[in-house]
Amino acid sequence: TIRNAAKEPEIVDLQSLLNKMGARVTGAGTDTIKVEGVAHGALKPAEHKVIPDRIEAGTHLVAAAITEGDVTVTNVIPEHLEPVLAKLRECNVNLTVYDDRIRVQGNRRIKAVDIKTLHHPGFPTDMQPQMMALLSVAEGTSIITETIFENRFKHVAELRRMGADITVEGQSAIIKGVDRLSGAYLEASDLRAGAALVLAALAAENGTVIENVEHIDRGYERLEVKYNALGARIIRVHN
C-alpha cells in the first residue's frame, strides 16, 4: 500500500499499462494506491499508447501567449491542462479549446494574475517557471507562491538579467510586469527553468544565449526544431 501518493494523470496511465501487463494495481488518481503481487513471470508484454505530455503542451501554450502568436497545439487532453488554461484565461490570453487541440491567439494586453502551486489537480509546479516568464511582461503585479518544491526560483536571477522586475520573499515571487525583456547570457539550472528561459528569449529584444540546455532536452524533444517551424530563430550550438 502506497499512501500519500501522487495523483497526476501520469500515475493513472502507469496503472493502466501495468494492469494490461497482468499486474493488479488499484487506486491510481487517489492518495492511496494498492499493489497486489502476482506470480513470478505473470507480467506479459502489452500494447499501450502513452497519454500526451501536459507540461510540454502547457509550455507551448505559454510560448504562443508570450510571443503574441497564433498557435494550435494538437494531441492534448484539455482536462489535464485545466488549471493552466484557467490562469491563461485570467491573463487575458485568447484560448479556443477543442476535443484534442487548443488554439492560442496572441493578445498584446497580458494581465497580471496570482498563482499558487498545489498538488494535482491544482496548478502544477512544473508550469510555474514558464508562467513567471509570461507574467514578467504582463500589465500589473503578479504573485507566484510555490508550495511544492523549496528553492524552485533559480530562474528568477536569470530573468532579472533580461530586465524582469522580480522579488522573492520566502515562498513567494512578486513580479512587476515590464514593457519588454532584453537578450542576455543565461544558464538553465533545471528542466522547467530552462524552458522558461527559452520562452523569455523568444519574446526578448536582441539575441539570447542559454547554456546547459541538456536540462531542457530531458523534457522536450527537439524544442528548437518545433519553434523554428513556427518562425523562431533558435540555433543549437554544439561545442
Side-chain angles (χ1 to χ4, degrees), residues 187-195 211-220:
E187 185 173 336
S189 58
D190 58 65
L191 167 56
R192 306 305 174 186
E211 297 183 343
N212 293 345
V213 295
E214 64 273 10
H215 291 301
I216 301 172
D217 291 336
R218 287 180 45 237
Y220 302 91

Side-chain angles (χ1 to χ4, degrees), residues 14 36 50 77 82 105 119-120 132 179 188 191 215 229 233:
L14 175 59
E36 186 177 345
V50 177
I77 301 176
E82 194 49 51
Q105 292 170 285
H119 294 290
H120 186 78
M132 186 180 291
D179 290 337
L191 167 56
H215 291 301
R233 286 178 291 178

Side-chain angles (χ1 to χ4, degrees), residues 27-210:
T30 74
D31 58 6
T32 302
I33 296 174
K34 294 186 177 181
V35 183
E36 186 177 345
V38 296
H40 179 71
L43 296 187
K44 305 297 182 185
E47 200 167 300
H48 182 74
K49 184 177 181 180
V50 177
I51 61 172
D53 186 329
R54 62 198 166 93
I55 304 301
E56 180 180 3
T59 300
H60 298 333
L61 297 178
V62 176
I66 199 172
T67 58
E68 301 172 21
D70 186 347
V71 176
T72 299
V73 182
T74 61
N75 188 31
V76 300
I77 301 176
E79 292 80 6
H80 293 174
L81 284 161
E82 194 49 51
V84 176
L85 298 181
K87 285 300 175 181
L88 287 175
R89 290 190 185 99
E90 200 176 329
C91 284
N92 204 31
V93 175
N94 295 319
L95 297 173
T96 307
V97 179
Y98 303 93
D99 288 341
D100 63 349
R101 66 189 192 279
I102 301 170
R103 182 183 181 185
V104 178
Q105 292 170 285
N107 187 339
R108 195 176 296 273
R109 294 174 60 85
I110 298 297
K111 302 292 186 182
V113 300
D114 293 341
I115 294 174
K116 184 178 183 179
T117 63
L118 295 166
H119 294 290
H120 186 78
F123 191 91
T125 182
D126 279 350
M127 282 299 303
Q128 177 257 106
Q130 299 93 309
M131 286 298 295
M132 186 180 291
L134 177 64
L135 294 175
S136 68
V137 292
E139 294 182 355
T141 300
S142 306
I143 299 176
I144 294 180
T145 303
E146 176 61 61
T147 71
I148 306 300
F149 289 122
E150 293 182 5
N151 197 27
R152 197 166 199 184
F153 286 141
K154 292 182 179 179
H155 45 286
V156 168
E158 303 304 294
L159 290 172
R160 282 179 182 155
R161 291 168 118 185
M162 303 182 76
D165 185 349
I166 306 172
T167 304
V168 175
E169 295 182 2
Q171 291 181 298
S172 296
I174 302 165
I175 307 120
K176 297 180 180 178
V178 297
D179 290 337
R180 62 185 60 86
L181 299 173
S182 300
Y185 282 85
L186 309 173
E187 185 173 336
S189 58
D190 58 65
L191 167 56
R192 306 305 174 186
L197 298 183
V198 171
L199 303 190
L202 289 174
E205 294 182 336
N206 307 316
T208 296
V209 176
I210 302 174

